[in-house]
Amino acid sequence: MPIATPDQYVAMLDRAKESGFAYPSINVTSSQTLNAALQGFADAESDGIIQVSVGTALYLSGNRVQNRFAGSKALALYAHEVAAHYPVTVALHTDHCPAENLDDWVRPLLADSVERRSRGLDPLYQSHMWDGSAVPLDENLSIARELLDRSVEANTLLEIEVGVIGGEEDGVSHEIDEKLYSTVDDARATVAALGAGERGRYLTALTFGNVHGVYNPESVHLRPELLDEIQTVVGAETGRDKPFDLVFHGGSGSSAEDIAAAVRAGVVKMNIDTDTQYAFTRSIAGHMLSKYDQVLKVDGAYGNKKAYDPRSWGKPAEHAMSARVVEATQMLGSAGRAMR
């Protein structure tokens, strides 16, 4: 199936929320990891989301070019071509755009989507994340309001972050402290600024102790019950059941119990990066270490081209990463639920 249309993406999110499951949103860094994510979704018979980060967007354009818009667009065009050969529906998303990169990344992509729509074409990306965690909440929501209006024009969805995600991802970092927990008042302010869907649909990353990257589990205390509290209170005030379409950041390494509780509270998308990166790279490390005397020209020898051919280590790495994607779909409940 091709990449999801805007309507299909909305239908995916509706199905997840109504049926009590969530989609893994897999960070990719290359065509290889994109293929691994697609393979994992197909093996699991799960629809899903594939995303690129602010650093990956730059990386994808090449060291010489260094253009986030060009890198993101190139990967999206590749994804649209190859995804059409898989029996699942996948959406594309840009992840964690801080204020300093709105003008060289998300705003140009939104403008591209508006231009494509004027020609009767769907957007290359179905959603974009504005990460306003580093600015005051009022400023965060003011920018979100402008981006939501632009997203409606582009026929895409907006994801916002209300609160702070701990740890570090692509240069965006925060301490692991009390700021990691969103409040009911934060959620009320969000609805006051963006509405409850009537201004345009958006996804919300409310924080409940989330941390990016590799961390000591003893230093991280997830409190998914906060999500329930916020949904209940704001739901009563807006007359909507679970008014927020929630996103779980820092999903790698989380317990099955915390994930299940978050999904019950209305999480429809969970970001996974660290675990899939490790699965991919661990496979490559195993190949290189076990075949070092074939990969390297040790003591002036010739090595073995079959061992250092990128395909010889790339294919197993893709399989290893795709297996981790399958595991994520099973944990989140999206396995076996692909739209037909």
Side-chain angles (χ1 to χ4, degrees):
M1 293 181 181
I3 296 293
T5 66
D7 287 345
Q8 286 174 325
Y9 188 34
V10 168
M12 283 172 58
L13 299 176
D14 285 343
R15 290 180 72 232
K17 199 167 186 179
E18 291 166 4
S19 301
F21 67 91
Y23 296 105
S25 194
I26 307 298
N27 279 75
V28 301
T29 56
S30 63
S31 59
Q32 276 193 302
T33 52
L34 172 74
N35 288 335
L38 289 170
Q39 178 183 324
F41 286 131
D43 289 346
E45 297 183 355
S46 169
D47 301 321
I49 302 166
I50 290 172
Q51 61 189 29
V52 297
S53 68
V54 64
T56 291
L58 205 63
Y59 177 74
L60 288 168
S61 70
N63 291 332
R64 184 68 175 265
V65 176
Q66 296 284 288
N67 184 302
R68 288 185 173 84
F69 172 73
S72 301
K73 189 169 183 177
L75 186 79
L77 291 169
Y78 178 88
H80 277 260
E81 187 64 32
V82 298
H85 300 278
Y86 287 82
V88 291
T89 305
V90 176
L92 300 180
H93 175 77
T94 62
D95 188 32
H96 280 291
C97 182
E100 59 267 28
N101 295 117
L102 284 171
D103 287 339
D104 71 0
W105 191 27
V106 165
R107 286 192 176 111
L109 286 170
L110 286 170
D112 183 71
S113 295
V114 171
E115 190 278 330
R116 288 176 62 87
R117 192 176 188 187
S118 73
R119 294 186 285 125
L121 301 175
D122 288 330
L124 292 176
Y125 284 85
Q126 288 65 59
S127 56
H128 302 282
M129 182 190 176
W130 149 236
D131 183 351
S133 59
V135 302
L137 184 60
D138 286 349
E139 182 180 352
N140 178 354
L141 295 176
S142 176
I143 294 172
R145 187 181 178 103
E146 172 248 316
L147 292 172
L148 181 60
D149 290 343
R150 191 62 164 161
S151 298
V152 171
E153 189 179 359
N155 206 13
T156 59
L157 300 187
L158 177 69
E159 179 184 327
I160 64 168
E161 182 172 315
V162 178
V164 171
I165 306 293
E168 187 274 338
E169 183 173 24
D170 270 1
V172 179
S173 62
H174 295 287
E175 296 297 323
I176 299 176
D177 56 25
E178 71 282 354
K179 295 180 181 178
L180 304 187
Y181 302 95
S182 299
T183 67
V184 171
D185 285 341
D186 294 336
R188 286 190 178 113
T190 301
V191 171
L194 305 182
E198 68 278 4
R199 288 180 53 87
R201 189 165 185 171
Y202 58 94
L203 306 171
T204 309
L206 295 174
T207 58
F208 54 105
N210 319 56
V211 175
H212 284 135
V214 179
Y215 54 83
N216 180 351
E218 294 181 0
S219 67
V220 176
H221 304 286
L222 293 177
R223 296 171 55 196
E225 66 272 11
L226 283 178
L227 303 180
D228 262 327
E229 178 187 359
I230 289 170
Q231 293 275 45
T232 299
V233 173
V234 178
E237 293 173 355
T238 59
R240 294 172 179 263
D241 181 40
K242 294 181 181 176
F244 291 104
D245 295 323
L246 297 177
V247 181
F248 185 162
H249 284 253
S252 294
S254 300
S255 71
E257 293 77 16
D258 283 337
I259 291 172
V263 171
R264 286 195 299 271
V267 164
V268 294
K269 172 181 180 282
M270 186 175 86
N271 294 4
I272 300 176
D273 185 16
T274 303
D275 285 357
T276 47
Q277 278 190 5
Y278 182 77
F280 186 80
T281 303
R282 176 63 182 83
S283 174
I284 296 170
H287 176 94
M288 299 299 176
L289 292 171
S290 65
K291 302 181 187 299
Y292 77 95
D293 55 344
Q294 299 177 54
V295 173
L296 302 176
K297 298 181 180 182
V298 179
D299 296 329
Y302 295 98
N304 180 351
K305 182 179 178 181
K306 289 184 178 179
Y308 57 76
D309 181 335
R311 291 168 294 184
S312 68
W313 50 260
K315 290 179 181 178
E318 288 182 29
H319 286 304
M321 179 174 163
S322 68
R324 182 59 184 85
V325 173
V326 170
E327 182 183 333
T329 67
Q330 294 168 341
M331 187 169 287
L332 290 170
S334 66
R337 296 176 182 263
M339 294 193 300
R340 302 299 181 188

